[in-house]
Amino acid sequence: MDISDALELARELMDEHGVGDWEFAFDRAKRRAGATNFTARKITLSKALVQLYAPEQVRAVMLHEIAHALVGPRHGHDAEWKRMCVAIGGDGRARLPMDSPEPEAPWVGRCPAGHTAQRYRRPTRQLSCRRCSRSFSPEHLFVWVNRETGERTAPA
Ligand SMILES: [Zn+2]
Ligand SMILES: [Zn+2]
C-alpha cells in the first residue's frame, strides 16, 4: 500500500474508533507490522512492511493496534482484546494473515492477485505466480521489493 494512503487510513480508523487523540507514526521495524506504545499514547506501523501489504492487510494491522490502545496494556492478546478487535471490524487474530510476507528473506514478491513469495537473492529473471498459474504467465508476474533498501524490480 502507498505510504500516504496508509497514513490517511490510519488516521481515519483512529478517529472513527475513539483514539484520534493518540499519535501516529511510521517506524523502521522490519519484523513486526505495528506497535502500540501506551505510555507515549502512540501507534506505529512499519514503513517497510506497509509498502508490501495490500490495503486490507494494513487495515487489519491498524485495527489490531487500535484494539490494544482501547483495552489497555495488561490484556495482551487475551479474550477481551480479541472481542474489542472483532467489535471494531478487525479479524481478532494475534498474528498476521498466513500470506503476509515473512520477515526473513529480503526480497518479497507480490503478484497482481496479492500472493507473496520470497527470495534471498535479487530475482534476475521474471517469475510468475504458481498459485495463479501453473505454467509461466506474463499476466501473473511478481513485482519484487527489497524490504531493507526499498529497491523495486517491476516486470518489464
Ligand atoms: Zn498485538
Ligand atoms: Zn498469485
Side-chain angles (χ1 to χ4, degrees):
M1 186 180 198
D2 179 77
I3 282 295
S4 57
D5 291 346
L7 174 63
E8 206 171 301
L9 174 67
R11 293 267 39 147
E12 247 169 55
L13 291 171
M14 287 168 78
D15 284 343
E16 186 182 338
H17 299 297
V19 289
D21 58 331
W22 282 48
E23 261 190 84
F24 175 81
F26 290 106
D27 64 39
R28 302 175 64 84
K30 298 194 176 78
R31 290 171 187 278
R32 53 125 187 88
T36 301
N37 183 326
F38 296 95
T39 31
R41 292 168 62 83
K42 184 173 181 178
I43 291 174
T44 61
L45 292 183
S46 157
K47 191 170 188 175
L49 293 180
V50 157
Q51 293 180 78
L52 302 174
Y53 288 166
E56 316 85 74
Q57 288 174 302
V58 176
R59 189 185 180 84
V61 173
M62 205 49 215
L63 291 170
H64 177 119
E65 300 307 333
I66 290 173
H68 279 308
L70 290 170
V71 299
R74 281 169 306 147
H75 289 281
H77 298 122
D78 71 0
E80 194 170 332
W81 169 83
K82 187 173 179 164
R83 215 176 302 126
M84 178 61 81
C85 188
V86 171
I88 62 175
D91 57 17
R93 279 187 287 181
R95 284 159 149 269
L96 290 167
M98 287 298 286
D99 67 347
S100 293
E102 292 292 329
E104 289 81 21
W107 287 96
V108 178
R110 181 178 289 280
C111 83
H115 301 129
T116 56
Q118 299 180 58
R119 291 289 183 278
Y120 285 87
R121 303 252 187 114
R122 188 181 208 288
T124 51
R125 58 191 177 85
Q126 296 194 334
L127 293 169
S128 69
C129 178
R130 288 265 179 83
R131 286 165 72 183
C132 287
S133 169
R134 277 165 165 271
S135 55
F136 179 82
S137 157
E139 274 142 52
H140 301 102
L141 293 178
F142 286 116
V143 174
W144 298 91
V145 175
N146 185 302
R147 70 172 89 235
E148 274 142 30
T149 63
E151 189 189 344
R152 193 176 282 265
T153 71

